[in-house]
Amino acid sequence: MERTPGDDHTSEPGQPGEGQVFLGAGAAPSVNPRTDQIAHLYQLGDPTLFDLDLDSLLDELLVRVQGILAVDTVAVLLIDERRGVLEACAAKGLEEEVEQGVVIPIRRGFAGRVAAERRPIFIADVNHADIVNPILREKGIRSLLGVPLVVEAGVIGVLHVGTVTPREFTEEDASVLQLAATRAAPAIERVRLFQALEHEHRGAVALQRSLLPERLPELVGMRLAARYLPARDEVGGDWYDLIELGRGRLGIAIGDVVGHGVRAAALMGHLRTGLRAYALDGLSPGAVLERLDRLLQSNRKGGMATAAYGVFDPESGELVLASAGHPPPLILPREGEPFFLERGGSPPLGTMPYAGFPEQSVMLPGEDIVVLYTDGLVEVRGEALEQGLERLVEAVRHADSPDAVCDRALESLVAPGGGGDDLAIVATQSASISERLSMRLPADPTVLADVRLMLRRWLHHLGAGGDDIGAIMLACGEACANAIEHAYSPAIAAFELSGDARGDVVTLAVRDSGKWRSPRGEHRGRGLTIMEATMDDVEVKPTADGTEVVMRRRLRGAE
């Protein structure tokens, strides 16, 4: 080992590298700092430092250390546990260390030995020392002093200073720098921990939101609304789904995975995907929950969740629902007092093998609102659940739409900034059916499915039988298809559909702003024939703006 002037150490195991000298005991300052230095050091305990982000905190710390020791350079290197290296994070006078992403292996070179030995090391002459960072020589640094950054007996990094002229750093200098590191290390670690938790929280929230529906389905005659709100500190496994099942029926699902964090969010996504698949297979609510229960119990890591799933048929007004330990759905009737559906008494998912989930059915007139929610909306620690349910009723009692229900519930029951648990709420409402049918629709073939759904509901409301509904829907579909096709320019166009019932006679009118033209193609032009075959009377009347098709049929079931 080449010795530095003034170095009386010999080359023995545990000694630092060439040209490096241990100073002090490393555990605590051995020399009391001067009074003027103490005044500077108290600045490092400034509480406002802890409110800064990591970059701002390090920048402020380096400025203060540089002033305390009157040095040309000061730098902080923090340990990257995954790679097992020191990484330059902030510097004054050695900005290139950070800009070039300098990393130093633990136990190698100056900073690596400081971290490994956990003791202050002094280098009198960089040109005659074991240095692996070429920037130190490129910048003309001659003397260095480094100390470990220690938190709870663990090293998190290295704080070192340097000068461009030779300097004999003393035991007192080492004590002052070590005291600065002692003040700085916990603050750095706190900020790093906070940022890591914040990063994980953001990631979990992003994961949670990515697993929830991107948008709600659009169903004719249905109003839908939903909200999800993460907890203040960490996300959980609350979720909801609204599933278009065909023939105008709507699947309504909500659930809550026990636990918090990324694992709960991931398990939530697993369950939501499974439930959607079972629902689209046409299974009943009870059967869907049975399959979902088996899916959860097959999970190698286990888990527990509550859930509720229902199928609403707007045509009949029937809601069939099953629950797995979930809070009871709330019904807001158009007339009368709000009420909760009875709890089925079934256990949460994942808790009992071969559990059953009985279904219950309720008939809902038009404009009744169904509200499903998770316990984060109504539960308060140390309070009976019934009190939270009463608050929910009072908050949404006078709401007249699903959006109003969600907004009033969050405003009344959730503290600003979120609660201690995440929550979800979903509300649905079926529009009431009037005696007259009136629709204005874009001239686009995709709207024909909506026409069929609304027409079926309207005819069912009138008491039409299956044969009548089929015949009228076929004729009306042909009339609407003709209205969409006939003589429209590329500009945006629309057509109108109206319906009326007088006694047992149903009258439908389809109006467009185009003109009928000769059939195009060998097998075209049969729409009028179909209408005349299925309806009692069909009139095609030109108007000032286009064409009107009027169709009438006496309901056979009324005879």
Side-chain angles (χ1 to χ4, degrees):
M1 163 178 167
E2 181 178 342
R3 300 202 301 172
T4 304
D7 179 10
D8 294 329
H9 292 87
T10 59
S11 179
E12 297 176 354
Q15 289 283 7
E18 183 179 0
Q20 301 177 4
V21 179
F22 284 136
L23 291 180
S30 58
V31 178
N32 292 326
R34 300 188 307 269
T35 301
D36 59 336
Q37 291 174 326
I38 291 177
H40 288 295
L41 290 173
Y42 275 123
Q43 298 176 32
L44 298 174
D46 185 351
T48 61
L49 291 177
F50 306 146
D51 296 330
L52 302 175
D53 59 55
L54 184 59
D55 290 339
S56 300
L57 171 63
L58 292 176
D59 183 72
E60 186 64 27
L61 286 172
L62 296 189
V63 169
R64 298 186 185 194
V65 169
Q66 194 171 24
I68 291 169
L69 288 174
V71 291
D72 299 308
T73 67
V74 56
V76 169
L77 298 88
L78 298 178
I79 291 179
D80 183 333
E81 296 285 358
R82 183 177 58 86
R83 295 187 294 168
V85 298
L86 285 160
E87 182 177 13
C89 295
K92 295 293 181 184
L94 283 174
E95 286 79 6
E96 291 83 355
E97 276 198 334
V98 179
E99 295 168 359
Q100 297 181 23
V102 168
V103 294
I104 305 295
I106 304 296
R107 298 188 179 278
R108 289 198 55 201
F110 169 60
R113 290 302 298 268
V114 173
E117 300 292 345
R118 301 189 178 194
R119 297 175 62 184
I121 293 179
F122 158 55
I123 293 180
D125 189 349
V126 167
N127 294 326
H128 297 87
D130 179 18
I131 297 294
V132 298
N133 181 4
I135 294 177
L136 295 176
R137 292 193 175 97
E138 291 171 7
K139 293 288 289 184
I141 304 302
R142 296 296 301 276
S143 301
L144 286 169
L145 174 63
V147 298
L149 292 164
V150 180
V151 176
E152 296 182 353
V155 177
I156 66 168
V158 170
L159 171 64
H160 70 69
V161 298
T163 59
V164 295
T165 57
R167 173 169 168 177
E168 288 285 338
F169 284 107
T170 65
E171 296 280 358
E172 182 178 336
D173 294 327
S175 297
V176 170
L177 189 60
Q178 186 67 77
L179 186 56
T182 301
R183 294 284 186 87
I188 293 172
E189 186 67 0
R190 275 193 293 271
V191 173
R192 290 177 76 188
L193 178 60
F194 175 79
Q195 290 188 340
L197 292 174
E198 187 178 34
H199 177 75
E200 181 181 352
H201 181 65
R202 287 197 303 268
V205 169
L207 172 63
Q208 174 85 337
R209 292 195 181 280
S210 71
L211 296 173
L212 294 172
E214 292 184 5
R215 62 180 182 85
L216 302 182
E218 296 180 4
L219 294 177
V220 175
M222 292 292 297
R223 303 185 186 98
L224 311 175
R227 305 285 191 273
Y228 168 76
L229 190 65
R232 285 189 304 267
D233 301 322
E234 57 180 341
V235 298
D238 289 19
W239 56 280
Y240 66 87
D241 207 351
L242 291 164
I243 308 165
E244 189 173 357
L245 297 176
R247 293 189 61 189
R249 294 176 306 138
L250 176 69
I252 312 167
I254 198 160
D256 182 1
V257 174
V258 175
H260 295 88
V262 174
R263 183 178 179 276
L267 183 56
M268 174 276 290
H270 188 52
L271 293 180
R272 175 179 170 256
T273 301
L275 186 145
R276 174 172 277 263
Y278 303 143
L280 291 174
D281 273 347
L283 298 178
S284 67
V288 165
L289 292 186
E290 288 178 9
R291 298 283 183 90
L292 201 62
D293 183 49
R294 294 206 297 270
L295 177 66
L296 180 54
Q297 297 204 39
S298 70
N299 185 7
R300 182 172 57 86
K301 294 184 178 180
M304 183 173 73
T306 66
Y309 173 63
V311 175
F312 179 64
D313 186 348
E315 185 175 320
S316 65
E318 183 183 30
L319 171 67
V320 180
L321 186 134
S323 175
H326 203 78
L330 173 63
I331 307 298
L332 300 177
R334 182 181 181 184
E335 298 179 0
E337 285 294 305
F339 64 92
F340 291 97
L341 295 182
E342 294 182 7
R343 303 187 196 184
S346 298
L349 302 172
T351 59
M352 292 180 61
Y354 310 109
F357 304 95
E359 298 174 351
Q360 55 181 317
S361 174
V362 60
M363 299 302 296
L364 302 176
E367 299 193 8
D368 284 10
I369 300 177
V370 180
V371 186
L372 279 74
Y373 51 92
T374 58
D375 58 12
L377 182 66
V378 295
E379 279 193 347
V380 175
R381 189 182 299 274
E383 179 183 272
L385 176 61
E386 283 67 23
Q387 292 179 259
L389 298 180
E390 291 174 4
R391 284 195 300 271
L392 173 61
V393 170
E394 292 306 313
V396 303
R397 175 186 294 275
H398 301 295
D400 59 0
S401 71
D403 273 313
V405 166
C406 294
D407 290 341
R408 292 187 183 187
L410 296 183
E411 290 171 3
S412 300
L413 305 179
V414 183
D421 192 8
D422 60 338
L423 63 91
I425 179 173
V426 59
T428 68
Q429 181 184 37
S430 174
S432 61
I433 303 297
S434 66
E435 298 301 317
R436 291 183 55 83
L437 178 67
S438 180
M439 303 173 70
R440 180 175 177 82
L441 301 160
D444 186 327
T446 60
V447 305
L448 293 177
D450 291 342
V451 170
R452 289 191 292 270
L453 290 174
M454 181 55 76
L455 186 59
R456 179 186 291 275
R457 288 188 63 195
W458 184 68
L459 292 171
H460 188 274
H461 173 71
L462 296 178
D467 291 343
D468 288 326
I469 291 176
I472 294 172
M473 287 181 62
L474 179 60
C476 186
E478 289 294 329
C480 291
N482 286 335
I484 291 171
E485 181 181 4
H486 287 156
Y488 283 115
S489 68
I492 297 175
F495 69 97
E496 296 177 358
L497 168 64
S498 63
D500 191 13
R502 296 189 179 183
D504 57 358
V505 176
V506 172
T507 301
L508 294 175
V510 178
R511 305 176 188 86
D512 62 53
S513 57
K515 297 188 178 189
W516 281 47
R517 54 191 176 194
S518 301
R520 294 172 293 173
E522 183 178 350
H523 302 290
R524 307 297 299 276
R526 298 178 180 176
L528 183 58
T529 302
I530 292 173
M531 286 183 258
E532 291 174 338
T534 54
M535 303 296 283
D536 296 334
D537 180 52
V538 178
E539 295 181 73
V540 179
K541 302 187 295 186
T543 66
D545 298 323
T547 303
E548 180 182 43
V549 179
V550 180
M551 303 167 286
R552 299 179 181 86
R553 178 182 170 101
R554 182 183 299 275
L555 299 180
R556 307 299 188 255
E559 294 178 350

